[in-house]
């Protein structure tokens, strides 16, 4: 008889943040790098994040901010003499019990007290220095809804009334604000029943370009438009009517171009599979040009978009075969990969000369650390050294198999802890969300789950079936309008492959699990086969009507 363990007796491996080292920001002279470092605070059920500074001469990271409250979004001023960041730390005059939303602070580079420069009702988001260093642009929510007097009832009049990780956002619309770096009241530049999704400064600091969609049916549309607004205030001007979604914006240093990421949707019913491309809008009247149409990869969702100082190249992240790397994109359309290795880059920045890149990167057995690329690519930190001493990390083994339609599909398998040759082990098949996502060579909070299962005696298999990013548009296209068909077959055939090629996989003890789209696929699988003895569906799609809302 199998002895069941009580839940409290089962040890769970220490949790770690998705990106312990994040948001690297190299200063204009290329000599110092700011970055954030996050740790899990189990006792207080939260993540603690502070800003760190690394001098490339000493190569020793030091903690730059401290305290009970978090600090994030570090940004160097254009001259490198000041640093802005966001924090919910209390300031002089704030009530002790005040649960303050993150505000904007400025700190001299050579030290001193941080000075709070905003006092807005909601959190400061996406701050950016003006090129002349005199002002700071940021987004913040503005309440434009209705309140039920004497009641906690929420009056909802739009489809998009809540968001993952943020909860209800009834009546809230993010808008553009500008505040003087020396302080003063922040000036709101946009207003109305529409969301500002991203914004960027003009190089002369007189205008701001931004992305939004306006109109009664805005929540139903995948299309976005580009506008500009004067910093002094005034009516926004439409400069580009988009042909699909638009992501990041970045104005070129010479002022001629606005670069953006996006997709052109010729069929509004087939939006999932399209590559996100990089475009430039020529402000001298020569229209929009797609720079990456011949490069069959999609821009990474988390990618930044940076210009070279001479306005001849852009830099962005692209996924490929389980990795994510920095690429250089010429305005002539030439694309070249700059970083290398079986690794995934989270974000990056470049110095004023455009010759040094700072980035955070993870591999299959190491959470994210700080790296630099100048004359060569090298790692700068070991921030997770103490964390890794607490963890039992098992390196995954990469595999490829040929699907029944002749397409190569990538996957990985993790052996159980205390693996013994000749033994068979229960095996879990993991399915990622998206479906436009991808597993790969990284160790983040998603992979923590794999390691926990392996630590408890399971083999773990995870693959990138059709719809995954990093393999080209056609690889993703086959499931548009056909969820549960080719993607389902890929997962079944991956299961067949590991049973045939890894003799420790027990075909009689298979489980399947996944979240979001992976939850949908888990639901689909248990409705179509009984080969799996257990299934766990997490944050799943089980009702298309509620999913849309």
């Amino acid at each position: 008889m199998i002895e069941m363990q009580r839940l409290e007796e089962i040890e769970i491996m220490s949790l770690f943040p998705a990106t312990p080292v994040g948001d690297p920001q190299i200063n204009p002279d290329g000599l110092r790098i700011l970055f954030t470092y996050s740790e899990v605070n189990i006792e207080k059920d939260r993540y603690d994040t502070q800003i760190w500074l690394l001098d490339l001469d000493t190569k020793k990271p030091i903690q730059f901010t401290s305290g009970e409250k978090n600090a994030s979004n570090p940004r160097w001023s254009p001259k490198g003499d000041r640093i802005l960041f966001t924090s919910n730390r209390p300031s002089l005059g704030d009530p002790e019990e005040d649960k303050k939303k993150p505000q904007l602070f400025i700190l001299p580079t050579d030290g001193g007290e941080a000075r709070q420069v905003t006092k807005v009702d909601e959190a400061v988001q996406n701050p950016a220095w003006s090129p002349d260093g005199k002002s700071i642009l940021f987004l913040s929510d503005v309440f434009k809804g209705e309140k039920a007097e004497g009641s906690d009832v929420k009056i909802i009049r739009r489809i998009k009334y809540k968001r993952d990780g943020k909860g209800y956002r009834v009546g809230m619309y993010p808008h553009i604000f500008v505040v003087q770096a020396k302080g003063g009241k922040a000036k709101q530049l946009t207003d109305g029943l529409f969301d500002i999704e991203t914004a960027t400064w003009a190089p002369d600091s007189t205008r701001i370009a931004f992305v939004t969609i306006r109109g009664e049916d805005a929540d139903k549309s995948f299309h976005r438009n580009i506008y500009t607004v004067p910093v002094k205030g005034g009516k926004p001007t439409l400069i580009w009517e988009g042909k699909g979604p638009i992501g990041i914006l970045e104005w070129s240093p010479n002022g001629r171009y606005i670069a953006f990421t996006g997709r052109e949707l010729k069929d509004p019913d087939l939006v999932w599979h399209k590559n996100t491309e990089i475009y430039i809008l020529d402000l001298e009247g020569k229209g929009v040009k797609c720079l990456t149409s011949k490069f069959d990869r999609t821009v990474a969702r988390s990618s930044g978009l940076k210009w070279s100082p001479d306005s001849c190249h852009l830099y962005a992240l692209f996924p490929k075969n389980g990795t994510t790397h920095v690429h250089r994109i010429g305005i002539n359309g030439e694309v070249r990969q700059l970083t290398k290795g079986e690794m995934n880059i989270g974000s990056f920045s470049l110095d004023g000369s455009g010759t040094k890149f700072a980035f955070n990167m993870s591999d299959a057995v190491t959470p994210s650390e700080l790296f630099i690329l100048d004359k060569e690519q090298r790692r700068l930190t070991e921030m997770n050294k103490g964390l890794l001493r607490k963890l039992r990390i098992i390196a995954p083994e990469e595999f490829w198999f040929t699907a029944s339609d002749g397409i190569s599909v990538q996957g990985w398998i993790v052996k159980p802890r205390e693996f013994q040759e000749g033994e068979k082990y229960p095996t879990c098949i993991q399915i990622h969300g998206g479906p436009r996502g991808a597993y790969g060579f990284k160790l983040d909070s998603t992979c923590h789950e794999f390691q926990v299962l392996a630590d408890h005696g399971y083999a773990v298999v995870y693959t990138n079936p059709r719809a995954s990013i990093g393999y080209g548009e056609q690889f993703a296209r086959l499931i548009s309008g056909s969820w549960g068909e080719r993607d389902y077959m890929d997962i079944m055939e991956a299961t067949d492959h590991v049973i045939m090629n890894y003799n420790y996989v027990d075909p009689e003890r298979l489980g399947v699990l996944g979240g979001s789209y992976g939850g949908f696929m888990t639901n689909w699988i248990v409705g179509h086969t009984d080969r799996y003895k257990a299934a766990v569906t997490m944050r799943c799609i089980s009702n298309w009507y509620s999913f849309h809302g």
Side-chain angles (χ1 to χ4, degrees):
M1 181 176 179
I2 298 175
E3 182 180 349
M4 299 295 290
Q5 286 181 295
R6 291 183 301 167
L7 184 61
E8 60 266 30
E9 293 177 348
I10 299 176
E11 182 184 354
I12 298 296
M13 187 186 300
S14 299
L15 183 65
F16 50 86
T19 51
V21 171
D23 202 5
Q25 299 292 320
I26 191 166
N27 73 337
D29 62 17
L31 299 178
R32 290 170 292 177
I33 302 170
L34 292 166
F35 62 94
T36 58
Y37 181 64
S38 300
E39 298 177 282
V40 173
N41 188 327
I42 296 294
E43 291 182 359
K44 296 187 177 180
D45 190 26
R46 70 186 190 196
Y47 293 109
D48 290 336
T49 301
Q50 295 296 338
I51 298 168
W52 288 64
L53 174 67
L54 183 137
D55 188 303
L56 288 173
D57 288 332
T58 65
K59 298 180 176 60
K60 183 178 180 180
I62 59 171
Q63 189 168 336
F64 195 70
T65 62
S66 60
E68 183 71 12
K69 302 297 184 179
N70 288 346
S72 56
N73 295 305
R75 298 293 182 270
W76 297 96
S77 65
K79 292 182 179 179
D81 59 337
R82 292 162 293 165
I83 296 164
L84 70 78
F85 64 94
T86 58
S87 177
N88 59 346
R89 60 174 59 184
S91 294
L92 190 64
D94 288 341
E96 288 186 10
E97 70 278 4
D98 184 33
K99 294 183 179 179
K100 189 166 68 176
K101 304 289 178 65
Q103 298 294 316
L104 187 64
F105 291 78
I106 293 180
L107 187 65
T109 305
D110 55 5
E113 288 295 320
R115 174 173 52 89
Q116 183 176 334
V117 294
T118 60
K119 282 193 175 182
V120 290
D121 293 337
E122 299 297 327
V124 168
Q125 307 166 46
N126 307 328
W129 287 96
S130 61
D132 63 11
K134 296 179 180 179
S135 304
I136 299 160
L137 148 74
F138 63 93
L139 304 183
S140 190
D141 288 339
V142 177
F143 183 73
K144 308 292 292 184
E146 307 164 65
K147 292 184 178 179
E149 294 295 332
S151 171
D152 61 356
V153 168
K154 293 177 171 60
I155 301 174
I156 298 169
R157 299 197 183 276
R158 62 182 301 194
I159 293 172
K160 296 180 180 178
Y161 63 92
K162 59 183 177 180
R163 291 183 185 173
D164 282 351
K166 294 186 177 181
Y168 285 102
R169 294 179 43 77
V170 178
M172 289 294 190
Y173 295 83
H175 280 286
I176 296 174
F177 291 77
V178 169
V179 66
Q180 295 292 308
K182 62 185 179 183
K185 186 177 180 180
K187 182 177 182 180
Q188 184 178 337
L189 295 185
T190 59
D191 193 25
L193 302 179
F194 54 91
D195 298 329
I196 305 298
E197 298 181 1
T198 187
T200 184
W201 284 99
D204 62 4
S205 302
T206 63
R207 291 174 293 164
I208 291 169
F210 63 91
V211 172
T212 190
I213 181 69
R214 304 166 77 173
E216 292 183 3
D217 293 331
D219 283 356
K220 299 178 183 179
S221 177
F222 289 108
H223 289 71
R224 298 293 183 268
N225 301 322
I226 302 176
Y227 295 79
T228 60
V229 63
V231 174
K232 293 182 179 179
K235 186 177 179 180
T237 301
L238 175 66
I239 63 169
W240 172 249
E241 190 169 347
K243 302 182 183 299
I246 297 175
I248 312 160
L249 283 183
E250 193 71 20
W251 214 312
S252 65
N254 65 7
R256 178 172 175 177
Y257 306 106
I258 293 178
F260 61 94
T261 61
R263 287 180 277 170
E264 184 175 346
L265 304 182
K266 296 179 181 178
D267 184 347
D269 294 324
L270 295 176
V271 301
W272 293 96
H273 72 274
K274 297 287 291 183
N275 283 341
T276 298
E277 310 279 8
I278 295 177
Y279 300 82
I280 53 172
L281 170 61
D282 192 328
L283 299 177
E284 294 184 358
K286 296 184 179 180
V288 166
K289 176 183 178 182
C290 179
L291 302 182
T292 52
S293 58
K294 295 181 180 180
F295 183 62
D296 189 21
R297 289 295 181 269
T298 189
V299 180
R301 189 178 302 173
S302 62
S303 178
L305 193 59
K306 307 287 190 298
W307 279 98
S308 61
D310 61 6
S311 300
C312 291
H313 297 92
L314 285 148
Y315 302 92
L317 298 175
F318 287 89
K320 180 182 179 181
N321 296 354
T323 68
T324 304
H325 285 289
V326 177
H327 289 65
R328 185 180 70 188
I329 306 96
I331 58 173
N332 62 357
E334 180 185 4
V335 181
R336 177 188 169 195
Q337 182 176 320
L338 300 183
T339 53
K340 61 185 179 180
E342 291 184 337
M343 299 178 173
N344 273 267
I345 294 176
S347 58
F348 71 98
S349 62
L350 64 159
D351 71 345
S353 68
T355 59
K356 292 182 180 180
F357 296 80
F359 51 96
N360 62 314
M361 187 158 65
S362 171
D363 63 26
V365 294
T366 313
S368 62
E369 294 284 0
L370 182 65
F371 286 72
I372 192 167
L373 173 66
D374 43 22
K375 295 178 181 178
E376 61 180 1
Q377 178 178 308
R378 62 190 188 277
R379 177 171 159 176
L380 298 175
T381 60
E382 291 185 329
M383 298 296 291
N384 300 295
K385 196 172 183 179
L387 172 67
L388 289 172
R389 288 196 194 103
K390 304 175 186 177
L391 304 179
R392 295 178 290 268
I393 301 300
I394 301 168
E397 178 184 338
E398 178 192 15
F399 66 82
W400 290 80
F401 70 92
T402 302
S404 55
D405 61 351
I407 299 299
S408 294
V409 177
Q410 188 180 22
W412 294 263
I413 185 167
V414 182
K415 289 180 179 178
R417 183 164 66 95
E418 298 179 356
F419 171 82
Q420 293 184 4
E421 198 68 52
E423 294 290 323
K424 287 194 176 292
Y425 295 90
T427 301
C428 298
I429 310 297
Q430 290 266 2
I431 308 168
H432 67 64
R436 288 182 58 78
Y439 291 134
F441 299 98
K442 55 187 175 182
L443 183 60
D444 57 16
S445 53
T446 301
C447 305
H448 170 269
E449 186 175 301
F450 307 161
Q451 294 293 331
V452 169
L453 290 168
D455 199 51
H456 284 78
Y458 295 90
V460 181
V461 175
Y462 51 104
T463 63
N464 287 333
R466 241 57 70 92
S468 302
I469 59 174
Y471 306 91
E473 192 169 286
Q474 181 60 28
F475 190 89
R477 184 186 184 113
L478 283 181
I479 82 155
S480 285
S482 305
W483 285 25
E485 296 182 18
R486 185 63 252 183
D487 45 353
Y488 168 76
M489 293 173 66
D490 283 352
I491 295 166
M492 295 303 102
E493 292 168 13
T495 304
D496 295 337
H497 174 82
V498 296
I499 291 171
M500 291 176 60
N501 291 275
Y502 299 93
N503 58 14
Y504 56 87
V505 171
D506 189 342
E508 300 302 318
R509 291 186 293 168
L510 296 175
V512 61
L513 61 162
S516 191
Y517 161 80
F520 158 83
M521 183 52 65
T522 300
N523 298 341
W524 185 270
I525 285 171
V526 298
H528 288 76
T529 180
D530 59 3
R531 74 186 302 187
Y532 302 97
K533 299 300 187 288
V536 181
T537 180
M538 299 168 280
R539 55 200 181 277
C540 68
I541 302 167
S542 56
N543 182 317
W544 288 114
Y545 292 101
S546 62
F547 169 67
H548 187 76

